[in-house]
Amino acid sequence: MIRKFTRALAIVTAASGFAAAASAGDWKPESADPIKLTINEWTGQTITTHIAGKILKNMGYNVEYVVAGYFPQMTALQDGSVTAALEIWTTNIGDAYDKAIATKNVVDVGGLGIKPVETWFYPAYMEETCPGLPDWKALKNCSAVFATPDTAPDGRFLDYPADWGTTNKDRIKALDLPFVAIPAGSEGAIVAEIKSAFAKKTPLLVMWYKPHWVYGKYDLRQVELPPYQDGCFDKPEIGLNPNATYDCDFVRGDVRKVAWVGMAEKWPAAVKLISSLHITNDEQIEMITKIDEGGASLDAVTTDWLAANEKTWKGWVADAEK
C-alpha cells in the first residue's frame, strides 16, 4: 500500500556548495562528494529531509535533494545512487524495506520518532448522532446516519484511493458492518470532504492517517476497532470472526531512517547525525499545517524549527563529530 500524500511538492534536485565551514573546532567533513537525500511525495517527508539537510550543510557537508519514488528509492539505495531516505513508514512500505535490508546494501539507522496511525476516523460531532462512538460496535446501529443515495440503506465509508491499496472491504465484511466502502479519487478529494463535513456538520466515516495537517485544524477522532492481533490478516481463526480475516484494527507501525551501507564508511559523522535526528508527531503536524494550510514556505518553516531547537540539534552535531 503506497503512502498517502498530503500535497505533492514541486521540488527539483538541488545541491548545496561545499563552502560551508565545519561546525565546530577543527572537524572537517570526511568527503566533498554529495550526500543525496531522497525527497518523496508528501509534505512531512520533505520537512524531515530538509531539516536533516540543513543540519548536514551546517556541518559542512555537500547535500543534494533528489526526488525519488517511495518504492523505487529502496532500490536506488542499494547501489548508492541515493544516500539516505529519512521517512520510511513500516505500515505501507510492504516487503520493500525487508528486501532492501536483506541485501546488506541498505542499513536501518534508527527510528525517526513519528508514530504513524492508519485507521478509521470520524468528526467529533458525530458522537451526538451516533451514540457509542468511538466504539466500533456503535456503527452497527447508526449506519443509516452515514447513508447516501449511492449506498442506502447502508452507510458510506470513504476509503483510500484505489491505487493506494485497501483492506477495508474485507474489514467491513468481517465485522458485519452495514457499510459500503467508496474509494476516494485522491488524497485531495479526502481532504476536501473532511473540510466540507466540518463546515456543514455532515456525517463522515473515513479511512485516514496521521500525522497530517488536518489534525491541527479539525477534531477527527479514531474509531476503536478490535485490537490488531498477529495473524488476523491471514488466519480466520484469529480475531473476533472465526470465518474471516481482517477482523481487527490496522498494524501500528514505525517510521524508520535508512541509508546506503557505504555511507557509514564515506561519511561516518553524517550517519551519526541522521541516526540522532528525531521528530515527533506534534512537531511535524505543526509544520505541515503551516505549509499546507497556512501557505508558509518549506524553507521558512524548517529554518524556524532549527532556531527553536538549536540546543537539541547542536547536541546531535557535537555527538556526531566526536
Side-chain angles (χ1 to χ4, degrees):
M1 178 172 58
I2 194 165
R3 159 85 350 235
K4 293 65 55 198
F5 303 127
T6 58
R7 185 180 67 181
L9 296 182
I11 304 173
V12 296
T13 301
S16 72
F18 192 67
S23 56
D26 296 327
W27 186 89
K28 300 293 182 183
E30 306 89 348
S31 172
D33 291 344
I35 295 172
K36 299 179 181 181
L37 304 180
T38 63
I39 294 292
N40 299 149
E41 301 96 317
W42 69 100
T43 308
Q45 194 273 353
T46 65
I47 289 169
T48 296
T49 305
H50 277 259
I51 285 174
K54 286 184 175 183
I55 298 172
L56 290 170
K57 290 177 183 180
N58 179 271
M59 295 172 71
Y61 286 110
N62 183 4
V63 175
E64 289 184 4
Y65 301 115
V66 181
V67 176
Y70 187 53
F71 287 91
Q73 71 185 348
M74 302 307 292
T75 300
L77 284 161
Q78 295 174 37
D79 63 7
S81 297
V82 294
T83 314
L86 304 184
E87 197 168 311
I88 302 299
W89 291 50
T90 61
T91 50
N92 56 54
I93 193 64
D95 62 0
Y97 168 88
D98 292 331
K99 287 181 177 179
I101 296 296
T103 68
K104 300 188 183 304
N105 292 320
V106 179
V107 293
D108 186 301
V109 291
L112 179 60
I114 290 172
K115 301 302 179 186
V117 175
E118 294 183 274
T119 193
W120 299 2
F121 290 88
Y122 63 90
Y125 57 78
M126 290 304 302
E127 293 180 2
E128 297 180 8
T129 52
C130 187
L133 284 174
D135 190 330
W136 70 275
K137 293 187 290 293
L139 297 171
K140 288 180 175 286
N141 300 318
C142 66
S143 61
V145 173
F146 296 91
T148 65
D150 293 334
T151 67
D154 294 334
R156 176 177 179 264
F157 177 85
L158 182 60
D159 209 347
Y160 281 156
D163 60 354
W164 289 1
T166 180
T167 57
N168 281 314
K169 288 184 178 179
D170 293 327
R171 185 167 284 102
I172 288 169
K173 182 178 179 180
L175 296 176
D176 193 27
L177 290 173
F179 278 79
V180 178
I182 304 296
S186 65
E187 178 183 0
I190 295 178
V191 171
E193 288 218 33
I194 291 172
K195 288 181 175 181
S196 177
F198 275 89
K200 301 175 182 178
K201 294 295 187 290
T202 52
L204 180 66
L205 182 64
V206 60
M207 178 68 190
W208 203 227
Y209 69 97
K210 63 169 63 172
H212 189 282
W213 71 260
V214 297
Y215 301 99
K217 186 169 183 178
Y218 302 113
D219 190 359
L220 278 176
R221 299 183 181 179
Q222 294 176 217
V223 175
E224 293 177 356
L225 292 170
Y228 172 79
Q229 301 177 60
D230 287 341
C232 72
F233 288 179
D234 49 27
K235 297 179 180 179
E237 65 271 20
I238 296 177
L240 293 180
N241 188 337
N243 300 310
T245 55
Y246 294 102
D247 50 342
C248 62
D249 201 352
F250 296 79
V251 180
R252 297 291 184 261
D254 196 8
V255 178
R256 310 299 298 176
K257 297 166 291 188
V258 296
W260 168 53
V261 68
M263 186 179 186
E265 181 177 352
K266 192 167 186 177
W267 303 280
V271 172
K272 291 179 182 178
L273 183 283
I274 289 173
S275 180
S276 297
L277 178 68
H278 186 276
I279 302 290
T280 67
N281 282 32
D282 288 345
E283 287 177 310
Q284 195 178 83
I285 287 171
E286 180 180 0
M287 288 187 280
I288 292 170
T289 303
K290 288 178 179 178
I291 293 171
D292 283 357
E293 187 67 2
S297 71
L298 175 67
D299 180 65
V301 169
T302 52
T303 296
D304 287 348
W305 186 93
L306 290 169
N309 294 275
E310 184 174 7
K311 182 177 180 181
T312 297
W313 66 263
K314 284 193 172 179
W316 299 342
V317 170
D319 289 342
E321 293 177 351
K322 288 181 181 177

